[in-house]
Amino acid sequence: MALGGETSRHGMWSSRWMFVLAAAGSAVGLGNIWRFPFIAGDNGGGAFILVYLLCIFLIGIPIMMAEVLMGREVRKSPINTLRKLVTVSKASPAWILIGWMGVAAGFFILSFYAVIAGWAMDYVLVTAQGTFVGVTGEGAAAVFNSFLESPLQLMLWQTLFMVLTVWIVARGVSGGLELAIRVLMPLLFILLIVMLGYAVTTGGFGQAAEFMFRFEWERMGVEGVLAAMGQAFFTLSLGMGAIMAYGAYVPNNASVPGTVTIIALLDTVVAIAAGLVIFSIVFANGLEPGQGPGLMFITLPLAFGQMPLGTLFGTVFFVLVSFAAVTSAISLLEPALAFLVEEYNAVRSRVAISLGVITWILGLGTVFSFNIWADVHLVGERTFFDLLDFLTNNIMLPLGGLLMGLFVGWVLPRKLLADQLEMPSLWLNIWLFLVRFVAPLGVLTVFVYTLYRAAMG
Ligand code: PHE
């Protein structure tokens, strides 16, 4: 029997499919549609994407299994899950720091996530008003840049997004969230397929595919390797405990390896599709792939402005992106939220509001990074937003994943792992090899390599 019993005090997913949808809801978000294309664009495409895919399959999937199994074993928040596992395996309490670092990473990420999701929400209205009908590349860029210049507007949408997120989180695991995910995720898939259909007609599709799948190593710098690994963790929601927290609500009859594989594949398909759509539009319109965070907000409106029924499709599309962001945002809050509820026997909704307020304040740093603090540079050329993004995605998440791999692979008893995963022993051994060696060494190698190359100039 599992250490934490059969059910979690926070609630349970109503079925294993609900877990797949919820975890896919966490995984599929701005990371796929907004971040993946622009990071890939900034890092030269092909080779970056190859490294990214390798990280997903060799590190991401095994670590995701590790997170789910730890969560399901103890059925508590990540910090308390680690506490319990450390106690039963008589390991050093230092491992619990993984949980604390995850809580911090969750705050940091959500603080900027809310701002970017706010852009998508604003674009629902802007697109619906027909702003982009017949727009040019420069026109679309101008709309976006003038929006960024207004801190008040950004704050308005950031606030709305945080209120929405807190409201859903406060209602609990099954009260509403399950329903929302069930309807919205399939719709998002359908719209992406529509967009892919459009992308094929733009004349830029071949070039887009080439940009994404031709592995020219010289196009990617050293930082690209680190960025690819960071993106793999970010897009699968790994390394900070979101998936561990969700794992605590997984019914016992679900197969961990099976569900995790489906989740990771869904996430990857969405990212690749989004990339193909966006780069087709980029090349068809003679734009630059390396445009930074504005990429999606300039290319997609451009396409919607040209395609038949573009205003309708565009509006619906940004609605779905906003919802995809909400279903990810709630999972960023869940580890801290569940922990505080457990520790202080606190009311879920009150904790949710307090955490929301703290995150909102931190998010102002990101809001200002695009206007009044645009010239404030921290650690190199980075704005506050760039620094937060770099620190969380390229350092904290991979480091969290590295430590989780070591903890699960070397500290937890094999019997516990075998009971949770229920895989034939050959597969169990392959998985163990991946979490014990490949994942930690992979992350470590990338860290050391990037540091070394950075030091060498
Ligand atoms: N995976 C989410 C996305 O791709 C972001 C996220 C990261 C969510 C970490 C939870 C934890 O948008």
Side-chain angles (χ1 to χ4, degrees):
M1 204 197 71
L3 292 171
E6 297 298 307
T7 55
S8 153
R9 65 177 281 180
H10 305 288
M12 293 288 286
W13 306 119
S14 55
S15 68
R16 69 191 115 171
W17 278 105
M18 208 43 239
F19 168 62
V20 171
L21 277 188
S26 165
V28 175
L30 298 174
N32 307 62
I33 306 168
W34 162 72
R35 197 171 188 275
F36 170 74
F38 99 72
I39 297 279
D42 287 352
N43 289 288
F48 168 91
I49 291 174
L50 181 65
V51 177
Y52 162 82
L53 290 174
L54 282 175
C55 290
I56 295 274
F57 288 98
L58 294 179
I59 303 178
I61 293 182
I63 294 295
M64 193 186 255
M65 286 165 58
E67 283 206 35
V68 175
L69 83 83
M70 284 192 277
R72 187 166 75 168
E73 181 69 24
V74 184
R75 298 211 179 283
K76 287 195 173 144
S77 67
I79 294 178
N80 281 327
T81 291
L82 288 160
R83 279 187 179 156
K84 183 87 189 183
L85 291 173
V86 158
T87 317
V88 295
S89 48
K90 302 190 182 60
S92 154
W95 290 107
I96 300 167
L97 284 175
I98 303 175
W100 289 102
M101 185 173 72
V103 165
F107 275 124
F108 292 167
I109 295 175
L110 184 56
S111 81
F112 68 75
Y113 208 83
V115 178
I116 314 290
W119 299 355
M121 288 170 83
D122 176 74
Y123 266 53
V124 173
L125 284 193
V126 179
T127 313
Q129 286 160 357
T131 313
F132 298 117
V133 178
V135 81
T136 59
E138 293 94 68
V143 171
F144 183 63
N145 291 329
S146 73
F147 171 53
L148 287 191
E149 273 162 25
S150 161
L152 275 179
Q153 275 213 37
L154 300 192
M155 275 165 68
L156 173 77
W157 292 107
Q158 173 216 13
T159 310
L160 260 170
F161 182 81
M162 282 308 303
V163 169
L164 192 63
T165 303
V166 166
W167 179 67
I168 294 181
V169 167
R171 294 178 52 113
V173 174
S174 30
L177 174 63
E178 283 205 3
L179 192 77
I181 298 177
R182 219 186 288 241
V183 181
L184 297 168
M185 293 300 292
L187 257 177
L188 183 69
F189 274 98
I190 295 173
L191 258 179
L192 263 181
I193 294 172
V194 172
M195 292 301 292
L196 261 180
Y198 170 78
V200 177
T201 68
T202 57
F205 193 80
Q207 237 179 313
E210 193 181 313
F211 177 73
M212 288 178 68
F213 301 117
R214 216 161 103 188
F215 310 129
E216 293 173 62
W217 293 98
E218 22 350 308
R219 276 208 310 234
M220 178 167 80
V222 213
E223 288 245 322
V225 184
L226 183 62
M229 185 177 73
Q231 175 62 20
F233 277 96
F234 182 73
T235 192
L236 294 179
S237 307
L238 294 181
M240 52 75 63
I243 295 294
M244 207 192 300
Y246 274 19
Y249 317 142
V250 176
N252 283 336
N253 67 359
S255 143
V256 176
T259 46
V260 162
T261 308
I262 297 172
I263 295 159
L265 287 179
L266 281 177
D267 185 81
T268 306
V269 168
V270 173
I272 299 286
L276 283 170
V277 168
I278 287 181
F279 291 122
S280 299
I281 300 164
V282 163
F283 292 118
N285 291 281
L287 300 173
E288 278 300 310
Q291 280 186 42
L295 182 64
M296 172 180 115
F297 294 94
I298 296 168
T299 51
L300 292 187
L302 186 58
F304 292 129
Q306 294 169 1
M307 64 199 269
L309 294 180
T311 299
L312 176 68
F313 281 139
T315 310
V316 179
F317 189 82
F318 282 114
V319 170
L320 291 174
V321 171
S322 308
F323 276 108
V326 175
T327 58
S328 299
I330 49 180
S331 71
L332 284 160
L333 223 41
E334 189 65 24
L337 182 73
F339 173 70
L340 291 173
V341 169
E342 286 163 8
E343 283 303 280
Y344 303 106
N345 236 328
V347 184
R348 204 177 151 94
S349 53
R350 289 216 191 123
V351 180
I353 294 171
S354 324
L355 293 177
V357 171
I358 303 174
T359 318
W360 181 84
I361 296 173
L362 188 63
L364 295 179
T366 295
V367 166
F368 299 148
S369 296
F370 295 98
N371 35 70
I372 53 182
W373 290 355
D375 297 319
V376 179
H377 293 307
L378 311 154
V379 198
E381 284 294 279
R382 298 190 169 92
T383 61
F384 181 86
F385 159 70
D386 293 333
L387 182 67
L388 219 52
D389 177 275
F390 179 81
L391 192 71
T392 50
N393 294 314
N394 294 11
I395 310 289
M396 293 170 90
L397 299 186
L399 185 61
L402 180 157
L403 295 172
M404 286 182 197
L406 292 178
F407 182 67
V408 169
W410 297 97
V411 178
L412 293 185
R414 187 185 167 106
K415 165 103 178 50
L416 186 159
L417 306 177
D419 286 351
Q420 278 291 343
L421 295 179
E422 294 181 303
M423 289 194 286
S425 73
L426 173 67
W427 283 100
L428 185 67
N429 285 332
I430 295 178
W431 171 77
L432 261 179
F433 177 72
L434 292 172
V435 286
R436 280 188 172 171
F437 298 102
V438 177
L441 285 177
V443 174
L444 201 68
T445 313
V446 174
F447 276 166
V448 172
Y449 173 70
T450 331
L451 274 180
Y452 170 79
R453 292 293 296 265
M456 293 293 145

